[in-house]
Amino acid sequence: MRYIKIAFGGLLILFILLTLIGLLMPSSVTVFRSVEIHAPADTIHYYTNNIAHWKYWINGADTAYFKQLTPSSTDKDATVVLGSFTITIISANPKHITTFWKGSSGGKQLSYLELRNNPNGVTLINWSFQQQLAWYPWERLSAMLHDKVFGPSMEVSLAKLKRVCERAN
């Protein structure tokens, strides 16, 4: 019985310690990637601001389940199901699109995609995902891995977007 009390006390102290360490970490995590594309912004806009065209460049979207839930795929509140995510446009204009991604497991993220024209005919694409974190220690500590998990997929997607847009140009 004594050993059970010691083990329980140790686990309780470990949980409290991990919770306190987790609370010292940021309450949100952002994964950011960018790429330069040698194509006009109009060509890139065709693929980025219409979520029905994301299947041409989002990593895995060409083989994932896709269903458009709203009549429009470019307007505010346009919604699609892409694989295990429900994606809704929050705001869109020719240079910026903000979307809300909700996973089937309940995870929620905001995505920001920004197009910046350079005078030399190159368009810079900045893409980021931001997720708010709960106070749970396992969620805060696992946030350190978000860049390693989402980053490579974002890089593959941006490379595919670059290839598609430069070929269309």
Side-chain angles (χ1 to χ4, degrees), residues 13-164:
I13 290 171
L14 180 64
F15 177 78
I16 292 170
L17 183 63
L18 288 175
T19 300
L20 291 174
I21 291 171
L23 290 174
L24 293 173
M25 300 177 119
S27 62
S28 68
V29 62
T30 302
V31 180
F32 178 86
R33 295 292 186 270
S34 63
V35 68
E36 288 185 341
I37 299 178
H38 298 278
D42 290 343
T43 302
I44 299 167
H45 179 263
Y46 174 80
Y47 291 103
T48 59
N49 284 46
N50 185 333
I51 51 180
H53 295 160
W54 285 8
K55 59 187 169 195
Y56 299 117
W57 65 276
I58 294 279
N59 187 28
D62 52 349
T63 57
Y65 173 76
F66 180 86
K67 182 179 182 184
Q68 191 167 321
L69 301 178
T70 55
S72 171
S73 59
T74 59
D75 297 331
K76 184 179 187 278
D77 297 327
T79 304
V80 298
V81 174
L82 181 61
S84 62
F85 291 97
T86 302
I87 306 166
T88 303
I89 294 179
I90 295 174
S91 68
N93 64 52
K95 300 213 181 258
H96 190 269
I97 182 169
T98 303
T99 54
F100 177 76
W101 293 54
K102 183 176 181 186
S104 58
S105 62
K108 300 173 184 175
Q109 298 180 353
L110 285 176
S111 171
Y112 303 97
L113 195 86
E114 179 184 22
L115 284 69
R116 291 186 179 189
N117 291 330
N118 291 341
N120 58 358
V122 175
T123 304
L124 177 67
I125 307 291
N126 293 319
W127 189 22
S128 65
F129 277 94
Q130 184 178 46
Q131 181 175 4
Q132 295 296 321
L133 304 171
W135 66 270
Y136 311 125
W138 53 87
E139 191 168 316
R140 295 276 179 109
L141 294 172
S142 70
M144 294 185 296
L145 301 175
H146 275 59
D147 192 67
K148 300 282 186 213
V149 172
F150 294 111
S153 180
M154 291 172 71
E155 290 170 3
V156 168
S157 296
L158 289 173
K160 200 170 178 183
L161 177 64
K162 180 176 180 160
R163 203 169 40 252
V164 166

